[in-house]
Amino acid sequence: MSTTFSLNQLGWQSFYQQQLSLNEFESSTPARIVEHHRSEYVLQTEQSQIKLNITSSLPPMTVGDWLLLSEDHQFERLLERKSKISRKASGSKLKEQLIAANIDTLFIVSSFNHDFNLSRFERYLAIAHEAEVEPVIVLTKQDLCDGQQAHYLTQLQELDPYLLVESVNSTDHESVNALSAWCKPGKTISFIGSSGVGKSTLVNTLMSSAHTAERLQATGAIREDDSKGRHTTTSRSLHFMPSGSVLIDTPGMRELQLAACESGVSQTFADVEQLANACRFSDCQHQTEPGCAVRAALESGELEQRRFDNYIKLMREQARNSASLQQQRAQDKALGKMYRRVMGETQKIKKAGKLD
């Protein structure tokens, strides 16, 4: 594949152009991260592909990020992100994990089988809304829905009547063309979803024309016992689509913990928050308080208990993780100050010793 691209082909937009000073415009080279490995980033400029070792002096970055390089290809600075998809690192780590940056549309991929889960959709939608990215739900494996396609679609529209939903056959080019409206030149799209929902197959079809059998991702067979395919994508990478758009592919994620996502959760559950605003007391806990509009909606069936429970769960989760991350950052900052103070005192002692 050619390593020469125009900035537009790399996904460059006026948002990034406006961040450059006149001097940077004349002397710096914009580069985009196309691969993120354990010890290095792979960058793509208009003219070449460059490897940048990951060091402690660099800011945290991920696939999709734009940065500026000097004339000798040294890191200068990271450009402000248009959007950022992240999560709390899996397990007990108190760390934010960047997933993708500077995307315009997030395709939330699920399948017409056991993977279909409304609470998981709400989690993904909260992440998209927090990042101010347009979410589009894509349902795959139509052959497994046993004639229940309309039922699944109705459930999604009940979450949000304006929610964009497309159902596709991931192996059929004509069917996948339903996503072409978001795959325009200069735009960056990304996919998110659990392992085994046909995401890699969908990527393959989008990345190839109807007249080629080119494969950019290895796909795995579906297991009949749980309707889930094997996890086949293991790293984050950026690809250039035939349509002229840029595609960021990410691994399937079994755990997606929210962090600092209050705005995203609020937007995803706007109906719940509207009810909460109608409660008699502003600090209503929606338990036994008189005049609780939320409890009244639950009892009348206007609000589903599952949806309310998930709203409370996600709000508590993001608040807990956000507080933990902020505490960790404060500790790291204090530790850094202590190290600098000790080093400063050590230097003073050494200088004093030399004078004596």
Side-chain angles (χ1 to χ4, degrees):
M1 182 175 65
S2 171
T3 56
T4 301
F5 297 90
S6 68
L7 282 177
N8 185 62
Q9 287 175 314
L10 292 173
W12 186 260
Q13 299 175 10
S14 60
F15 176 84
Y16 314 110
Q17 183 76 27
Q18 293 168 0
Q19 299 180 45
L20 272 60
S21 66
L22 181 59
N23 183 60
E24 288 173 333
F25 180 77
E26 294 176 345
S27 62
S28 300
T29 300
R32 196 168 196 189
I33 298 179
V34 296
E35 293 179 31
H36 182 185
H37 301 291
R38 185 181 298 272
S39 61
E40 68 179 12
Y41 298 111
V42 179
L43 315 177
Q44 182 67 56
T45 70
E46 289 183 281
Q47 302 299 326
S48 61
Q49 200 167 86
I50 300 162
K51 293 183 178 180
L52 180 66
N53 290 330
I54 297 177
T55 65
S56 59
S57 62
L58 293 177
M61 299 186 291
T62 190
V63 171
D65 267 326
W66 280 100
L67 48 90
L68 296 180
L69 301 176
S70 64
E71 293 181 353
D72 57 351
H73 292 166
Q74 296 300 306
F75 175 84
E76 289 188 332
R77 72 181 179 98
L78 173 68
L79 294 183
E80 179 187 348
R81 297 179 175 111
K82 184 178 182 181
S83 62
K84 177 188 72 174
I85 303 294
S86 66
R87 65 170 176 175
K88 174 188 169 294
S90 59
S92 59
K93 296 179 181 178
L94 294 178
K95 185 178 180 181
E96 178 187 36
Q97 181 184 16
L98 297 173
I99 298 173
N102 297 318
I103 67 175
D104 298 295
T105 300
L106 181 66
F107 290 114
I108 301 170
V109 186
S110 182
S111 56
F112 282 115
N113 57 15
H114 302 306
D115 181 73
F116 188 93
N117 185 298
L118 292 176
S119 294
R120 187 185 299 127
F121 282 125
E122 290 165 341
R123 179 179 292 269
Y124 287 141
L125 287 169
I127 289 173
H129 289 143
E130 183 69 28
E132 298 184 350
V133 171
E134 180 182 36
V136 179
I137 290 182
V138 181
L139 298 174
T140 64
K141 304 182 181 179
Q142 295 172 331
D143 57 314
L144 300 178
C145 67
D146 298 324
Q148 297 297 310
Q149 183 172 340
H151 174 64
Y152 286 122
L153 296 176
T154 298
Q155 291 184 71
L156 288 172
Q157 293 301 326
E158 288 176 350
L159 297 183
D160 180 354
Y162 299 104
L163 187 61
L164 297 170
V165 182
E166 296 288 347
S167 59
V168 302
N169 178 347
S170 297
T171 61
D172 182 74
H173 288 87
E174 185 175 349
S175 176
V176 172
N177 276 339
L179 307 183
S180 62
W182 296 279
C183 303
K184 301 295 185 182
K187 296 294 185 180
T188 299
I189 64 173
S190 186
F191 291 79
I192 195 170
S194 304
S195 302
V197 298
K199 187 162 62 72
S200 293
T201 302
L202 181 58
V203 169
N204 285 336
T205 305
L206 280 170
M207 290 297 298
S208 63
S209 69
H211 305 291
T212 178
E214 179 185 3
R215 295 293 186 202
L216 297 185
Q217 301 286 345
T219 56
I222 194 167
R223 293 198 300 266
E224 294 181 358
D225 58 339
D226 60 0
S227 301
K228 293 183 178 179
R230 288 190 288 271
H231 184 101
T232 54
T233 305
T234 57
S235 63
R236 294 182 290 279
S237 55
L238 185 150
H239 306 284
F240 302 96
M241 300 176 62
S243 66
S245 61
V246 177
L247 184 152
I248 296 178
D249 192 26
T250 61
M253 287 170 281
R254 299 185 184 280
E255 181 183 2
L256 194 60
Q257 286 272 320
L258 304 186
C261 197
E262 183 176 358
S263 176
V265 175
S266 294
Q267 186 174 345
T268 302
F269 294 89
D271 56 331
V272 180
E273 299 224 330
Q274 184 176 10
L275 287 168
N277 290 334
C279 290
R280 179 182 301 178
F281 302 107
S282 59
D283 60 348
C284 183
Q285 299 300 303
H286 318 304
Q287 298 298 320
T288 59
E289 297 89 341
C292 176
V294 172
R295 296 309 311 176
L298 288 170
E299 291 169 5
S300 68
E302 177 187 351
L303 176 63
E304 183 186 7
Q305 186 69 49
R306 180 211 62 79
R307 182 163 170 79
F308 174 69
D309 290 344
N310 200 37
Y311 165 73
I312 296 298
K313 175 185 177 181
L314 296 185
M315 270 300 191
R316 289 175 176 171
E317 178 184 307
Q318 69 85 29
R320 179 179 63 253
N321 290 338
S322 178
S324 298
L325 289 170
Q326 289 176 359
Q327 183 180 19
Q328 183 65 39
R329 291 189 189 105
Q331 292 175 350
D332 291 343
K333 187 175 181 180
L335 191 60
K337 285 183 178 179
M338 184 192 72
Y339 285 153
R340 288 192 293 273
R341 185 179 69 253
V342 171
M343 290 298 293
E345 292 174 353
T346 301
Q347 291 297 324
K348 289 180 181 179
I349 293 173
K350 287 182 178 179
K351 287 181 180 179
K354 289 180 179 179
L355 291 176
D356 293 341

